[in-house]
Amino acid sequence: QVQLVESGGGSVQPGGSLRLSCVASGITHSDYCMAWFRQSPGKEREGIAGIDSDGSPSYVDSVKRRFTISRDNAKNTLYLQMNSLNPEDSALYYCAAGRTGGHWYTQNMYDYWGQGTQVTISP
């Protein structure tokens, strides 16, 4: 049984930082492309950062130079370091794992999803 479990969300002030983690079980982590998506109320889920099996990262423009995606295959863990957070970053953050080829930011590329961790940025 495959499980992805996110953690690290919370409530911080604008300008603050958070580090999200996603621990995977039931898969060979190094075989999968991984990504972080987020969804805020009334908006579609969007891909914000992806990392392929060799560790090459990709980002959506809105988080470039603020967020860093990384992975530790030995620990079956995906990370997202988020700095300079602003209220527009408030959302439910999901991690995803997939082996299907395609654009990293498209949801149908991913086979497995976590339940999400809430991030809230407010004064």
Side-chain angles (χ1 to χ4, degrees):
Q1 182 180 358
V2 178
Q3 277 193 316
L4 302 179
V5 180
E6 303 97 336
S7 63
S11 182
V12 298
Q13 294 184 339
S17 298
L18 284 171
R19 189 192 195 202
L20 306 184
S21 299
C22 170
V23 179
S25 58
I27 60 172
T28 302
H29 199 255
S30 58
D31 288 346
Y32 283 76
C33 296
M34 306 291 294
W36 288 98
F37 284 72
R38 69 184 181 188
Q39 187 170 22
S40 51
K43 294 186 178 181
E44 293 188 359
R45 189 178 300 188
E46 63 167 342
I48 59 169
I51 186 166
D52 61 18
S53 55
D54 68 6
S56 296
S58 299
Y59 302 95
V60 68
D61 285 347
S62 61
V63 307
K64 279 180 181 177
R65 293 176 292 279
R66 298 190 300 125
F67 291 9
T68 302
I69 188 172
S70 60
R71 65 192 298 165
D72 185 336
N73 291 331
K75 295 182 178 179
N76 287 349
T77 302
L78 176 72
Y79 302 100
L80 186 69
Q81 177 67 42
M82 305 188 295
N83 299 327
S84 302
L85 287 161
N86 59 61
E88 290 70 38
D89 295 316
S90 296
L92 190 61
Y93 282 69
Y94 300 89
C95 69
R99 292 196 293 185
T100 305
H103 297 294
W104 67 268
Y105 47 82
T106 56
Q107 295 185 57
N108 59 14
M109 175 177 164
Y110 297 94
D111 305 305
Y112 305 107
W113 293 82
Q115 293 298 307
T117 185
Q118 180 67 43
V119 171
T120 303
I121 314 303
S122 62

